[in-house]
Amino acid sequence: MGAKGISLPTLTDYDPVTHSEGALDPLGLYAISDSLATKLVPGIRERMSHPRFLTAMAAGAFVTREFEDDVVASDGQSEPWMVYEWYVVEGLVRTKSDDPDLRELPGIRKAQEAIRDGVRLNAARYLKTATVFGFHGIYRPFAYDLDIVRDGLPGENGYDLISTWEREQGLPGFATGDSGSGADLRRRLIDGVKDGLAQAAVARSSQWGVWSDIGEHFFPNRIPNAEARMLGRALSGGPSVSRRQVISFLSSAEGQEIWLGTKSEREFHSVLVQSVDPYVAALLQAIMAYELFARLLQDAFDDCLFALTNIGSKVKPSVLAKEKGVTRAHKGIQDLYYEVGDKLSPFGETIRFENSFSSLMEPSSPEEWVLALLQRHKDVQRNKPPKGKNPWLEQFDDGSAVIRPLFRRERPGRHDDSYVNMYRTAPL
C-alpha cells in the first residue's frame, strides 16, 4: 500500500537519497507516526517484504562467527557480515536476474552495474548507507528481536531456522561445519569472505560455483514449507504482545477479509481495536486520532499545492485560505488538537506533538492559518538532514507564494479519513 495522499516513487536501491520516509514528509508528520508504529509492531519496517532474508542472515551468522569481532576489510570499514552480504546480493543477481520479483532486492542495481562494468562489488560500488539500507540493515532489528541473530551470532531461533533450512535444502552439516554438502558450502563462503576482507571486495570470478548455490538456497521470493512454518512461528512469537495481537488478527479470517478487501489501515485498526488488550487499544486509538489530525494538515497542504499549480503564478494567502482543505483544517484541528495530545501522552509523544504543531493553533483566521501552515513546511524542510532542503514553494514578502515546478500537483487533497502515514500492516 502507499501512503494516502503521497505518491511514493518506485525504488530499486535502498538508498536514503530517495528514501520516501525522509524525502516526502513536507509537514513533519512522519516522526510521531513512526514512533507509534514501532511501539505497535516493533522490528517491522515498511521496506520489509521478504522474510527469507532472515534465513540468509542466520546462515551468514554461521559464516561470520569464524572471524574476530574487530576484524574489518582492508578498506578499514567493511565488516565480515557486509562482505558476506556483497556475495549474497551478487549471487542472487547472477543467477536470478530474470525473475521479476528480484527488483525488490536491496542493492540489486549496484550489483548489476558492477557485473556489467566487469568490476568487483565493494563498499564504493555498493549502497551509500549499506549498514541501514542493505538487507542486514533493514532486517537486523527484527532478527535480533526474534532471537534469530544476536550480536552477530546465531540466536536460539537462528539455530532452529538453519537446522530446518539445511534439512529441507539437502545441506547437511551447514550448522555444525562437520561434514556434508552444507559444511562444504559454509567453508566456501567463509573462504570467500576471508579473501573479500583481504581485497575489500568480492574476491571470486563469474565462474565461482557457489553463485548457483546462493541463487538456489537463498532466493528470497519463494520459501519452502518447513522453513516457512519455522519463520511463521518465530514471527508470531517474540516478546512484543502488541505485535502478536496484530499478527493474530491479521492472520484470522476476519482480519484477512478486512485487509485484503480494503487495504485500509484505518478500517483494519477500527476492527482490531475491539479485540486487543487495553494498552494496545489505547495505542490504536492514539494512532487513529493522530491520523485524523495528519489528514487535515496534509489535505490543506495538498489543496494549496494544487491551487498554486492551477494558477501558475503568485497566489495571495487570501486566495489559498478559501481552499476546502484549508478551511476544514483551520476549524478541524481546533477540535482535535487537545484530544490528540491527551491520547499521545501514554506513549511519550505529547511534547513532540505540541512542539511541532502548536503554532497552527494560534491563528484566528484562515488567511493567518495558511501562512502558519506554509511556515511549518519551510521549518520542516530547513531542518531536514544533513543540511536542510529547499521548500516546495517560493514565498514573497507579502505572503504570496509560487510553487516550484518539481512539486506541481495534478490533484487536490483526498478529504477523507484515510491515513497519511503507514503502520506496517502491508509488510506484515
Side-chain angles (χ1 to χ4, degrees):
M1 64 176 287
K4 305 297 186 181
I6 298 178
S7 297
L8 296 178
T10 299
L11 302 176
T12 52
D13 274 348
Y14 288 56
D15 195 305
V17 173
T18 56
H19 181 32
S20 63
E21 294 170 344
L24 298 182
D25 184 24
L27 299 174
L29 295 165
Y30 171 75
I32 290 175
S33 75
D34 182 59
S35 175
L36 296 175
T38 300
K39 290 177 173 65
L40 182 65
V41 281
I44 300 293
R45 299 181 182 180
E46 288 296 335
R47 288 185 175 277
M48 291 180 175
S49 56
H50 295 299
R52 206 179 191 208
F53 281 127
L54 296 169
T55 304
M57 290 179 64
F62 281 92
V63 171
T64 59
R65 67 185 299 176
E66 301 297 323
F67 301 92
E68 297 294 333
D69 291 343
D70 57 351
V71 169
V72 295
S74 57
D75 60 10
Q77 65 182 55
S78 302
E79 298 179 60
W81 63 265
M82 179 57 70
V83 177
Y84 167 79
E85 181 169 312
W86 297 342
Y87 280 108
V88 171
V89 172
E90 182 165 334
L92 291 172
V93 170
R94 285 188 179 277
T95 58
K96 298 292 184 179
S97 59
D98 294 334
D99 193 295
D101 288 335
L102 199 65
R103 64 182 179 272
E104 297 180 2
L105 172 68
I108 178 175
R109 190 171 65 194
K110 298 294 186 180
Q112 289 171 333
E113 291 172 352
I115 293 170
R116 180 199 65 201
D117 296 343
V119 299
R120 303 294 176 85
L121 196 61
N122 58 24
R125 300 284 308 202
Y126 197 47
L127 297 169
K128 291 181 180 178
T129 316
T131 55
V132 176
F133 296 101
F135 71 78
H136 278 89
I138 294 169
Y139 289 85
R140 182 181 287 111
F142 195 38
Y144 276 36
D145 193 69
L146 298 182
D147 200 27
I148 288 175
V149 177
R150 177 68 60 185
D151 297 326
L153 298 173
E156 182 176 348
N157 281 331
Y159 276 97
D160 292 344
L161 177 58
I162 290 303
S163 296
T164 300
W165 171 79
E166 70 173 20
R167 287 195 301 271
E168 197 165 33
Q169 296 291 312
L171 293 172
F174 189 94
T176 64
D178 294 335
S179 62
S181 57
D184 180 63
L185 173 60
R186 177 174 160 181
R187 282 193 296 271
R188 297 181 75 183
L189 286 169
I190 291 169
D191 290 342
V193 171
K194 180 179 179 181
D195 292 342
L197 290 167
Q199 299 180 30
V202 166
R204 292 295 183 268
S205 73
S206 60
Q207 305 304 311
W208 191 38
V210 177
W211 295 133
S212 60
D213 291 322
I214 291 171
E216 179 181 355
H217 301 301
F218 293 122
F219 185 53
N221 297 331
R222 285 184 288 277
I223 311 178
N225 291 336
E227 184 184 342
R229 287 193 295 271
M230 176 60 214
L231 284 169
R233 287 194 297 272
L235 180 64
S236 299
S240 171
V241 173
S242 58
R243 188 177 64 213
R244 289 202 302 272
Q245 292 181 0
V246 174
I247 291 173
S248 176
F249 182 68
L250 182 60
S251 303
S252 70
E254 182 181 17
Q256 286 284 292
E257 181 180 1
I258 294 168
W259 176 246
L260 296 178
T262 68
K263 291 299 176 72
S264 165
E265 285 196 294
R266 181 173 292 281
E267 293 289 333
F268 181 76
H269 286 170
S270 67
V271 180
L272 170 64
V273 72
Q274 303 170 33
S275 59
V276 294
D277 66 35
Y279 172 86
V280 181
L283 179 55
L284 289 169
Q285 288 164 355
I287 288 170
M288 290 188 281
Y290 177 72
E291 284 300 319
L292 285 174
F293 183 90
R295 172 51 59 199
L296 286 172
L297 295 192
Q298 188 66 53
D299 282 351
F301 189 67
D302 288 345
D303 279 6
C304 289
L305 296 180
F306 184 64
L308 290 166
T309 300
N310 284 341
I311 294 171
S313 59
K314 289 173 59 177
V315 181
K316 293 182 178 180
S318 58
V319 175
L320 295 177
K322 297 176 182 177
E323 290 296 316
K324 176 182 178 180
V326 173
T327 57
R328 289 183 73 237
H330 175 244
K331 179 182 183 301
I333 69 165
Q334 304 293 326
D335 299 329
L336 272 174
Y337 180 82
Y338 294 108
E339 176 189 348
V340 174
D342 288 344
K343 289 185 175 180
L344 291 175
S345 180
F347 311 104
E349 291 297 333
T350 300
I351 293 176
R352 175 155 55 176
F353 175 74
E354 292 175 348
N355 289 342
S356 298
F357 302 112
S358 61
S359 63
L360 297 174
M361 288 291 290
E362 299 169 2
S364 58
S365 70
E367 184 173 343
E368 292 174 338
W369 190 87
V370 78
L371 286 172
L373 179 69
L374 299 185
Q375 185 61 50
R376 167 67 185 167
H377 167 64
K378 289 192 292 185
D379 291 343
V380 167
Q381 293 297 102
R382 184 175 61 250
N383 291 322
K384 284 183 176 177
K387 298 180 179 180
K389 296 182 182 295
N390 290 325
W392 295 9
L393 45 85
E394 291 283 358
Q395 201 165 6
F396 302 92
D397 291 342
D398 63 353
S400 60
V402 60
I403 192 168
R404 294 178 182 272
L406 183 63
F407 302 105
R408 290 171 180 158
R409 288 297 172 92
E410 297 180 357
R411 293 182 298 275
R414 296 178 62 95
H415 303 296
D416 57 19
D417 64 357
S418 58
Y419 285 3
V420 173
N421 302 288
M422 298 176 283
Y423 292 87
R424 318 298 194 256
T425 311
L428 278 176

